[in-house]
Amino acid sequence: MTAWSTAQLTEYFVAVNAAGSEEAAIALAVERAAEIVEAEIGLVVLGGRPRGAWGFGGAAPERDLLALSSAGGIVDIPGLGDVHAVPSQLGSGLPGALILGRLDEPFTPEERQTLQGMAQMLGAAMRGARALAAEQTLRADRERETRLVETLLAIQRGIVSRRPLQETFDAITGGAAELLGDAYVALILADPAPRVASSAGGVGPGDRPGNAARAAMDTGSLQVDEDEQGHAVIAVPVLVTGEIAGSLVARAGDAAGYHADQLEAFAQQVGLALTDARTVELVHEAHHDHVTGLPSRALFLKAFNGRPRAGVLFIDLDRFKAVNDSLGHDAGDQLLADVAERIRGCVRVGDTVARLGGDEFAVLLGDAHRDTAVATGERIIAAVREPFRVKGRTVYIGASIGAALPGADGNGSPDELLNCADLAMYRAKQDGPGRVVVYEPAMHAAALHYLSLRADLQRALAEGEFGLVYQPLVRLDAGSVVGVEALLRWNSPGRGIVAPGEFLPIAEESGLIADIGQWVLASSARQVAAWRRRRPGLTLNVNISGRELVRPGFVEDVTRTLAAAGLPTNAVTLELTESVLMSDPKPAVLALSRLRARGVQMSIDDFGTGYSSLAYLRDLPVDELKVDRAFIARTQLTGRDMALVSTIMELGHILGLRVVAEGIENQAQLDAVQRLGCSLGQGFHLHRPLDPAAIPPLLESPSLHRAA
């Protein structure tokens, strides 16, 4: 037989990689390899143990076969006789080999080369599967921790907003029961006599909760007992200002240590709720935030009375959630308290600082002018930008601030003015973190438009309002279509055709881009896979965003999507802009490298728009440059413009990259880029974006079909 082609090996790799498990991948690889080289036996040896044995009829493989050196040899197999066997190493990190054996004749050098390629691809698939399993385990652990933090934060928000105490107790026991796998959780308070104040989850373990709870309250420490079925019962004391006020108890199952840590976190929330409830009895503390000592929202709004010229700064912290999630609830509280102190140091005597809730603060400016509001906001931003020391670690956050001045809301009510400042803060975040923006009436209409468009966008994907058009990629010397670029279109029933530039930024910001991007890739991959039956070499270009690229699981989702569509990975090129690659380069380059290792091609779109340099091009795992249309539009002008485009194209060719000229709008531009040696192009002069039905005729004709 002859060696397999690169395309066949790629399809083999896709099939093995999509097998679903390591055992399935090994079994598939062994069987396919044995069929290809007409071998009687095959197996994988990993760590000295046989895996996926094929052709042995249920008998164990011979020790001589398992111990083969890299050179191979002849092995006597019971029931078969002398077998020519050759091992092919699986590659780095996997101490083993794919071993095939044949009766009649030894393997040719070409067969050995093919088997080595297949073994390395199997090794890559196994390493990928193991990495994915480890990543999924890590992701599950992170998700559990994230759920814990989010549950605790929700309870904390309820405490800060002064929800009824019983409602808070029920939220604590319910949240703990859910996170502990529907374990039985009970809150037992000691005053005036021990009583169950709240419970949730499964069936309680007899009288054991009372026993464990009493022991926890007596000793002030964690207690572990067993119920009648031998399940662990744990109880942690509830402390209020250092005094024991009760106990939180749970039937913990088998993970007592893990559950104890979580139960202690919920017990802390009980303590905070009880502390806050006792504090409410005092008039002063009833109107102040217990974490920062600042006035609450209610007191802040009351402070407007008799101050008709008052203005508002609405402050939202940037990157606070990352600190809270990584360092914990207590660290987040410490950080909020430190932020409050810095804000206090930035305002004038007579101004009022308040914490509205979460990571939001406000400043009441006694006599506000625009310059005063902006200057105060900029002082606060500069102060918050300085590093904080939290739990022994240095952390960095920022702030975005919206300002509203008297008369901005139309009626001057405190609530309306605060809402106006909130809208301005949101605009500040849109413009980039670390800004002060003063409210303008147009922001209200813009906010309503944004919310309406976002709601429609969420519905659009579910109701099939999106569609795809395809712009051909043309080989300029022959005029033939060699690929297509998938372009997203939205035809909204209520809005009509919505421009991508209008809805894609909202999709990106809201996180909807992940689902939309997955739909685009899956739909276009299926379509191009069907077209490749007429034009086998046809390729697909798909644009992806930076948010998609660094999303956990993106690389695996791309691989699975292409395998499901039956489209080889080397037929797909993902396009990113330079700005995406430069905004967060390390995670982006890591994801690109993993995709490229699986055969997916990479392209830099709009190349030359401000970030281009030989240094970063040399290090990026890319295959293609698409020269920005602004450069192509200037090729008709001066020799200097031509020299600039020529330099960009030469740079790409030196680095071994495909170079595509975008935006070819007329014959002069086409002639110019051809003279410069560019072999690939796109643009309205060649083809406009076309509906799918218009593509097949182009694939059947080698001649150039230009748009009218």
Side-chain angles (χ1 to χ4, degrees), residues 190-229:
D191 187 27
R195 64 182 179 89
V196 177
S198 177
S199 64
V203 178
D207 63 349
R208 298 295 189 181
N211 295 341
R214 280 190 291 273
M217 290 186 284
D218 290 342
T219 63
S221 61
L222 170 72
Q223 298 294 313
V224 179
D225 201 344
E226 285 187 357
D227 66 6
E228 291 78 4
Q229 287 76 41

Side-chain angles (χ1 to χ4, degrees), residues 548-559:
E548 289 180 272
L549 182 63
V550 299
R551 176 177 61 83
F554 176 70
V555 174
E556 290 71 25
D557 287 345
V558 168
T559 304

Side-chain angles (χ1 to χ4, degrees), residues 75 93 99-100 171 183 246 443 504 574 582 604 616 675:
V75 180
I99 300 177
L100 275 299
M443 294 180 186
L504 285 178
L574 301 182
M582 294 301 100
I604 300 179
Y616 98 79
R675 285 197 303 272

Side-chain angles (χ1 to χ4, degrees), residues 462-494:
E463 297 188 2
E465 295 175 11
F466 289 121
L468 293 176
V469 295
Y470 297 86
Q471 186 168 29
L473 178 68
V474 176
R475 183 173 297 282
L476 299 180
D477 56 357
S480 58
V481 174
V482 295
V484 292
E485 179 180 355
L487 300 172
L488 182 64
R489 295 293 184 264
W490 180 18
N491 187 359
S492 169

Side-chain angles (χ1 to χ4, degrees), residues 13-67:
F13 174 68
V14 170
V16 172
N17 199 57
S21 69
E22 182 174 305
E23 290 299 326
I26 291 173
L28 177 62
V30 171
E31 184 175 354
R32 289 278 183 92
E35 291 174 354
I36 291 163
V37 298
E38 299 178 354
E40 279 73 18
I41 60 168
L43 76 161
V44 166
V45 176
L46 193 60
R49 299 180 60 189
R51 304 274 294 276
W54 184 87
F56 291 92
E62 291 293 307
R63 290 184 177 272
D64 292 344
L65 192 63
L66 302 183

Side-chain angles (χ1 to χ4, degrees), residues 5 51 187 278 355 384 410 465 485 554 573 615 705:
S5 68
R51 304 274 294 276
L187 170 61
R278 293 181 182 181
R355 182 187 175 202
V384 174
E465 295 175 11
E485 179 180 355
F554 176 70
T573 300
H705 289 255

